[in-house]
Amino acid sequence: MAKRVVIDPITRIEGHLRVEVVLDDNNKIVDAYSSSTLWRGIEVIVKGRDPRDAGFMTGRICGVCTYSHYKAGIVAVEDALGIEPPLNAKLVRTLLDYSLFYHDHIVHFYQLHALDWVDIFSALEADPIKASEEAFKYVPKGYNPIATGADELKEVQKRVASFAKKGDLGPFKNAYFGHKTMRFTPEQNLIALSHYLKNLEIQRIAAQAMAVFGGKNPHPQSLTVGGVTCIMDLQDPSRLGEYLTKFKQLAEWTNRAYYADIVMAAEAYRNEPSVTQKNNLGNYITYKTMQTGKNSFLFDACGYIKDFDLGKFYEIDESKIEEDVTHSWYKDTGFRHPYNGETIPEYTGYVDGESIDGKGDVVHTKVVNPKGKYSWIKSPRYNQEPMEVGPLACMVVNYAKGNERVRKVVDEFLAKTNLPVEALFTTLGRTAARMLQTKVIADYGIEAFNNLVENLKVDQSTVSPYKIDKNKEYKGRFIGDVPRGMLSHWCRIKNGVIENWQAVVPSTWNAGPVDGNGKKGAYEHNLIGMKIEDPTKPLEVIRNIHSYDPCIACAVHVMDVKGKKLGEFRVDPLYGSC
Amino acid sequence: MNDALMQKMKERINELRKLPGVGSKTIKDVLEENGISRRDFLKWSASMAAMLGLSSSFVPVVAEAAEVSDRLPVLWLHLAECTGCSESLLRTDTPSVDDLIFNYINLQYHDTIMAAAGWQAEENYEEALNKFKGRLILCVEGGVPTKDGGEYLTFGPHAETGLEKLKRTAEAAGAIIAVGTCSAFGGIQAAAPNPTGAVGIHKVLNKPVINVPGCPPSAKNIVGTILYVILFGALPAVDNFNRPKFAYGLRIHDLCERRGHFDAGEFVEEFGDTGAENGFCLYKVGCKGPYTFNNCSRERFNQHTSWPVQAGHGCIGCSEPDFWDAMKPYEKPLADNYLASIDADATADKIGITILTVAGVAIAAHAAISAMKNPKE
């Protein structure tokens, strides 16, 4: 008989998320539901305001991928007003992106995801000398491991052991340590534990890198419609040096720890079915991001692939991006393009049901109503098809398009781990893709910095002038990849103020509920078929959901109370399509 | 607006009267052995004393206070928020976040950091409420939705609303710290038209709340406030908006590195101009530093790396109540009639007059004219 497990809250993510899985007698997942439990409503709040204020407010959609929505809010307005910011400004924005991606990805892997892979108590049993030697196995050619010297590992053990002896494990209490699907050896666990602690220090460097030209982190403040404000920092060579140093430190950490630890995970977990089960949804979509020069982007694909087929690359037609709310807590208005977005809240809550609890008992709980509405997240679709977005989408679509740098980094990783290319389409692959994206930045991203320095020799401009004509109507958008995948913001300006604003965000694509055509999004679809060792400790589910790096604050900002129809959709992008 | 402000200030003052005096007992147990050397410990105490605005003669007292404090049980509750405040906490280096968790606080629940999930996370939460009843330090990040019974936020398998969960948790708390502008004043989701009826948590609680606003507040201000409670076993002295005076006692403008240019009448007229290249004052491109109480200009962000004014952008006033509505537009000066309306200290009510006259009538006129002109451009 089917059993249900309600997992609420999903922790170690941004925001509030519930996942429910339905298990058959063999504990195989036969159905899954993703439900967000918070709604904030930022788009309606920016309405009627000065368009130049929008970026500061949309920036507050998320403090984890901080900067993503700030930049999106600024660029959408620039696009609408027909402003081309100076090259210096574009490149500085890319440098802020680098620090964001570095920060987001390393914090995700070590602080948010690692405890699904790493057993801290097992690490206390490890032989530090053996672990120290083993660490050399996983680094890429030409690099030495970091924070894995035998003495350092002994100190880590001592520190954590003395903490554990106090009798209250604090944030490590009640974890799934000892779970059967944990596959690291004690030595591998110790290496990862040392990196978990070291990364708390490294992530500060990534945040500082953003603050050099961004003023602070989280929520940087140096962008303005038309350009950037950090002109003094750009004219100060010691500031450039400060950024460069931090970039290099982060590149080193990427190679000497992050890359190595993913290779280690690939080796240890290659026979764990719950992380190597092929995804069910084979559609991946991405958009170009990280401008490195006048006409170059680090990730230049604007397109998608279908049914896991790396042999065929399709370009995006922006008019085919739509959102549906059949099973979201909004009044149903069918599939709508974001320029015509309509969002009228209609909360129907959860219904009475049962779940297996943490002790194995069947208890009364609230559960989703699969026939009705069950999430604050909308369901974006491309050409009415669900798509997965994120670093994995960025890597495989750029791979399919023939982005040489991506191909090189991906192929080298597959060779080092002796994994087939299909291994990318799994929980393990999704976690690896985030690291591979970071590796591309580490290996090639410095080009943007060098081009900025070159350009500053001949051009000091940081802001382009513009005028807002109150008698004119404007329409514009931002599309680009951010750490969790393809993000777009769509705005209309009338009478000099914002008339409508819609954001279609990465976690919405992945975490949304089933749509009006009965098609499930990535979270729900990809969980089906996975076997759970122990329904009271659904680590496999949590590991899978964490592999997307959920960002629920981003996903639940949507609202347009008035539900105005906003005229015909027309693509008129300033920066041109791909 | 002034009437509303007066009302608000009266409410605040009434709440202030309910605050316990300095020396109220929250934490008095013996500090557990934590393996830190005496030298490191004194170094840390010195940096804390400096952070809290105390002279070096306080260092031994700080050290002593820390030695006799318990490791503090902290429960961190996320309401309607963006996790920016937790991210800011992660950036702390005095002490570092691992040091804070391993040695100074006893982090019982923080859903961005903790290992447990689902049923196991719920169990941790309830256990902390029971085990540490009355001496739990509750840190809240995010505003609380109140409209339609608070249905815009639910928690756990029984779908308890955020409003219910906050109230229930606050019952068990010995001290409550609102981390960030959302939990202090409602934040971005409370900006007009506030579709979810989000409010700062003090609006729905009948216990004193220490507000540590900022969007997000710096790691220094978050950790500093928590450490104050650890070190002194009491709540810090606060201003009329319940913000700790050690962090929010001065205006951004008071210690701003561009203050000399303000006094000299040298302003950035437009972003990217020669005034911007020369680091002139950002008042005319909207800096709200003169109306904003915070220590950004002294402490900066990310281990002193920078702060918005250094990066050439004016302050947007993020530690003031309702700043999303009160401080807009963020890149234009506020109109004259606004100048005296939102400050936290009675003395600061005169701010508009003060800042624009101490430096000379000519500058006052200069700035005032620009303030009137700009909105029409």
Side-chain angles (χ1 to χ4, degrees):
Chain A
M1 212 190 85
K3 299 163 281 191
R4 182 180 293 259
V5 183
V6 174
I7 309 169
D8 185 354
I10 299 280
T11 51
R12 281 179 284 128
I13 63 165
E14 191 317 300
H16 303 273
L17 176 67
R18 156 192 291 232
V19 167
E20 296 181 17
V21 291
V22 180
L23 306 174
D24 70 9
D25 289 340
N26 296 316
N27 289 340
K28 203 170 103 177
I29 298 174
V30 292
D31 212 344
Y33 302 97
S34 157
S35 167
S36 88
T37 62
L38 166 69
W39 180 63
R40 295 166 76 212
I42 290 175
E43 282 140 317
V44 74
I45 292 167
V46 305
K47 278 187 179 184
R49 293 177 192 251
D50 188 317
R52 287 163 290 201
D53 282 359
F56 300 96
M57 306 191 91
T58 58
R60 268 62 187 186
I61 285 175
C62 185
V64 175
C65 55
T66 185
Y67 176 64
S68 299
H69 297 280
Y70 178 31
K71 184 180 77 172
I74 297 274
V75 174
V77 172
E78 287 169 351
D79 186 43
L81 298 176
I83 305 163
E84 176 89 21
L87 182 60
N88 289 333
K90 291 181 180 177
L91 294 175
V92 166
R93 291 174 182 183
T94 298
L95 299 187
L96 295 184
D97 264 328
Y98 291 162
S99 55
L100 170 66
F101 275 72
Y102 271 130
H103 188 277
D104 231 28
H105 288 354
I106 62 175
V107 167
H108 175 259
F109 182 65
Y110 288 105
Q111 269 64 53
L112 306 182
H113 204 14
L115 298 175
D116 303 331
W117 306 81
V118 179
D119 186 328
I120 289 183
F121 294 130
S122 156
L124 301 179
E125 312 292 313
D127 176 344
I129 294 168
K130 255 173 74 183
S132 175
E133 284 164 7
E134 180 161 355
F136 282 86
K137 270 173 66 182
Y138 308 114
V139 285
K141 218 172 148 185
Y143 290 95
N144 286 322
I146 191 169
T148 54
D151 286 350
E152 205 164 352
L153 293 177
K154 271 181 208 162
E155 283 302 315
V156 167
Q157 280 180 322
K158 203 169 116 191
R159 188 174 186 204
V160 175
S162 93
F163 178 73
K165 264 185 217 149
K166 288 177 182 169
D168 190 329
L169 291 172
F172 304 112
K173 192 163 41 186
N174 231 345
Y176 299 137
F177 301 138
H179 195 275
K180 274 186 186 166
T181 65
M182 291 271 198
R183 295 297 186 96
F184 279 148
T185 64
E187 282 70 30
Q188 290 171 328
N189 279 313
L190 181 56
I191 292 167
L193 173 59
S194 177
H195 287 165
Y196 174 95
L197 295 171
K198 183 76 178 174
N199 193 63
L200 290 168
E201 188 186 315
I202 303 293
Q203 56 91 26
R204 283 202 300 269
I205 298 173
Q208 288 160 0
M210 179 177 283
V212 170
F213 298 120
K216 67 186 172 90
N217 169 294
H219 294 323
Q221 198 168 310
S222 66
L223 266 52
T224 186
V225 169
V228 295
T229 66
C230 53
I231 185 165
M232 286 178 78
D233 296 306
L234 290 173
Q235 294 182 349
D236 180 347
S238 74
R239 280 308 242 186
L240 292 163
E242 210 174 329
Y243 181 88
L244 184 62
T245 305
K246 292 180 194 309
F247 182 96
K248 286 182 173 171
Q249 287 171 322
L250 295 162
E252 285 278 303
W253 178 249
T254 302
N255 280 301
R256 296 172 64 185
Y258 191 16
Y259 190 99
D261 290 341
I262 299 289
V263 171
M264 183 169 84
E267 181 169 302
Y269 278 84
R270 63 194 313 137
N271 296 320
E272 170 47 47
S274 64
V275 302
T276 56
Q277 170 190 299
K278 195 176 178 186
N279 297 337
N280 295 319
L281 176 65
N283 308 331
Y284 299 86
I285 192 166
T286 192
Y287 207 84
K288 68 182 175 187
T289 191
M290 301 184 206
Q291 184 163 358
T292 53
K294 211 167 178 184
N295 297 307
S296 55
F297 286 78
L298 203 52
F299 301 102
D300 58 356
C302 302
Y304 60 99
I305 62 168
K306 290 195 293 192
D307 303 324
F308 307 103
D309 185 356
L310 285 164
K312 273 190 195 149
F313 167 81
Y314 302 91
E315 291 203 357
I316 288 180
D317 172 354
E318 293 177 21
S319 68
K320 291 184 175 165
I321 296 173
E322 291 177 307
E323 292 190 295
D324 172 74
V325 295
T326 306
H327 292 280
S328 311
W329 282 313
Y330 308 99
K331 191 171 168 236
D332 186 7
T333 51
F335 287 84
R336 281 181 174 267
H337 187 276
Y339 274 142
N340 305 321
E342 197 173 82
T343 316
I344 303 156
E346 189 178 72
Y347 184 70
T348 52
Y350 297 96
V351 296
D352 290 329
E354 287 176 339
S355 166
I356 297 175
D357 73 1
K359 310 249 181 308
D361 298 327
V362 175
V363 293
H364 173 81
T365 59
K366 295 287 182 187
V367 298
V368 301
N369 174 10
K371 293 199 177 82
K373 294 174 178 293
Y374 61 86
S375 179
W376 285 115
I377 298 182
K378 285 182 171 184
S379 301
R381 295 293 180 261
Y382 182 81
N383 202 16
Q384 304 227 342
E385 288 295 327
M387 293 273 163
E388 179 174 329
V389 301
L392 174 57
C394 180
M395 299 314 285
V396 296
V397 178
N398 274 283
Y399 193 95
K401 183 177 183 275
N403 180 316
E404 282 174 24
R405 290 160 166 183
V406 169
R407 288 194 90 111
K408 182 167 181 287
V409 165
V410 169
D411 287 340
E412 278 173 6
F413 173 76
L414 293 174
K416 180 146 179 86
T417 53
N418 196 23
L419 286 169
V421 72
E422 290 72 34
L424 292 171
F425 301 118
T426 64
T427 298
L428 179 68
R430 192 175 299 109
T431 300
R434 195 167 287 109
M435 178 281 291
L436 293 169
Q437 192 177 43
T438 315
K439 168 83 168 153
V440 173
I441 294 169
D443 286 0
Y444 304 108
I446 203 64
E447 189 177 295
F449 178 87
N450 293 337
N451 284 337
L452 174 66
V453 171
E454 282 306 306
N455 196 58
L456 281 168
K457 290 175 186 168
V458 293
D459 168 21
Q460 300 278 307
S461 60
T462 49
V463 184
S464 297
Y466 61 90
K467 265 201 153 157
I468 300 180
D469 183 344
K470 286 186 177 167
N471 299 316
K472 227 177 128 184
E473 287 184 39
Y474 301 95
K475 186 161 73 171
R477 94 292 184 251
F478 162 88
I479 312 184
D481 258 42
V482 295
R484 285 168 188 78
M486 189 174 81
L487 167 70
S488 57
H489 278 231
W490 310 74
C491 76
R492 293 176 63 98
I493 299 165
K494 196 178 172 183
N495 301 325
V497 296
I498 292 161
E499 190 193 24
N500 190 47
W501 196 287
Q502 291 284 314
V504 183
V505 312
S507 290
T508 322
W509 286 94
N510 290 339
V514 64
D515 65 28
N517 296 329
K519 292 183 177 175
K520 284 177 171 289
Y523 286 12
E524 294 184 350
H525 203 32
N526 288 341
L527 278 171
I528 293 171
M530 183 185 292
K531 198 170 173 294
I532 306 297
E533 286 284 340
D534 176 359
T536 68
K537 295 188 173 85
L539 175 62
E540 299 92 334
V541 176
I542 288 158
R543 193 190 281 126
N544 176 272
I545 295 296
H546 280 162
S547 74
Y548 296 89
D549 195 1
C551 192
I552 305 307
C554 293
V556 294
H557 56 281
V558 281
M559 179 162 179
D560 173 358
V561 171
K562 286 177 188 163
K564 281 182 189 164
K565 285 189 181 175
L566 295 162
E568 286 299 300
F569 168 59
R570 177 176 56 92
V571 179
D572 187 17
L574 175 75
Y575 303 128
S577 55
C578 283
Chain B
M1 177 159 251
N2 282 332
D3 288 348
L5 177 81
M6 183 56 69
Q7 185 58 33
K8 187 180 266 180
M9 286 176 75
K10 279 181 183 164
E11 279 170 28
R12 293 293 181 146
I13 290 162
N14 284 337
E15 280 173 22
L16 210 78
R17 288 203 182 102
K18 293 180 206 156
L19 276 177
V22 173
S24 76
K25 313 288 185 281
T26 44
I27 303 302
K28 287 285 176 191
D29 299 339
V30 178
L31 182 72
E32 285 183 58
E33 184 55 52
N34 53 33
I36 294 176
S37 77
R38 183 78 197 159
R39 196 166 150 269
D40 283 348
F41 182 67
L42 284 174
K43 218 165 90 185
W44 175 83
S45 302
S47 84
M48 272 311 103
M51 168 67 203
L52 296 168
L54 303 171
S55 73
S56 59
S57 61
F58 277 81
V59 173
V61 186
V62 170
E64 210 177 307
E67 279 173 306
V68 298
S69 292
D70 190 10
R71 284 176 74 240
L72 205 66
V74 171
L75 188 151
W76 188 291
L77 179 61
H78 286 83
L79 297 173
E81 44 76 37
C82 76
T83 312
C85 300
S86 287
E87 286 284 344
S88 186
L89 175 75
L90 264 190
R91 312 292 186 266
T92 177
D93 75 331
T94 51
S96 63
V97 70
D98 50 328
D99 212 8
L100 189 70
I101 294 169
F102 282 163
N103 297 321
Y104 294 104
I105 62 171
N106 179 354
L107 190 61
Q108 286 291 310
Y109 189 98
H110 186 302
D111 66 27
T112 319
I113 297 172
M114 63 193 290
W119 290 101
Q120 285 76 14
E122 287 284 285
E123 192 182 315
N124 288 1
Y125 198 94
E126 300 307 326
E127 193 184 305
L129 286 195
N130 291 327
K131 193 168 161 191
F132 300 103
K133 198 170 178 57
R135 66 188 190 100
L136 201 60
I137 302 306
L138 171 61
C139 292
V140 182
E141 177 175 359
V144 57
T146 59
K147 203 174 143 192
D148 303 321
E151 67 188 24
Y152 302 102
L153 170 61
T154 62
F155 286 95
H158 303 292
E160 182 181 23
T161 65
L163 186 61
E164 290 162 350
K165 186 154 186 166
L166 170 66
K167 285 182 174 175
R168 186 163 70 85
T169 309
E171 287 296 307
I176 303 171
I177 302 172
V179 180
T181 297
C182 292
S183 55
F185 307 124
I188 181 78
Q189 48 276 317
N194 193 353
T196 60
V199 295
I201 58 167
H202 70 90
K203 295 266 190 196
V204 301
L205 298 178
N206 53 15
K207 281 188 169 182
V209 174
I210 301 297
N211 288 329
V212 186
C215 191
S218 67
K220 290 249 178 194
N221 290 356
I222 301 170
V223 175
T225 304
I226 296 171
L227 289 173
Y228 192 97
V229 180
I230 298 178
L231 296 178
F232 299 108
L235 301 173
V238 294
D239 69 10
N240 287 349
F241 291 121
N242 281 0
R243 300 177 294 198
K245 281 186 172 170
F246 74 82
Y248 301 88
L250 288 172
R251 280 177 296 259
I252 301 273
H253 192 59
D254 295 333
L255 292 172
C256 180
E257 65 208 38
R258 297 183 188 229
R259 178 61 186 264
H261 292 293
F262 176 87
D263 294 345
E266 295 169 335
F267 295 97
V268 174
E269 303 286 338
E270 282 178 346
F271 290 118
D273 68 7
T274 52
E277 285 182 46
N278 290 313
F280 287 178
C281 174
L282 296 161
Y283 178 78
K284 291 170 79 171
V285 285
C287 183
K288 307 302 186 292
Y291 326 116
T292 305
F293 286 77
N294 208 332
N295 54 2
C296 310
S297 42
R298 187 182 71 205
E299 300 288 343
R300 307 188 181 205
F301 291 84
N302 306 100
Q303 293 76 47
H304 294 273
T305 303
S306 191
W307 66 299
V309 165
Q310 185 174 350
H313 199 283
C315 163
I316 61 171
C318 75
S319 51
E320 295 303 314
D322 307 324
F323 84 96
W324 289 113
D325 291 324
M327 298 287 188
K328 70 178 183 181
Y330 313 122
E331 296 182 344
K332 295 282 168 61
L334 295 175
D336 270 358
N337 62 3
Y338 180 73
L339 287 173
S341 64
I342 57 158
D343 292 299
D345 278 4
T347 52
D349 285 352
K350 301 172 199 120
I351 177 166
I353 305 142
T354 312
I355 59 159
L356 298 178
T357 53
V358 286
V361 176
I363 300 162
H366 188 183
I369 287 164
S370 70
M372 286 187 286
K373 264 186 180 172
N374 273 335
K376 290 182 197 159
E377 79 174 19

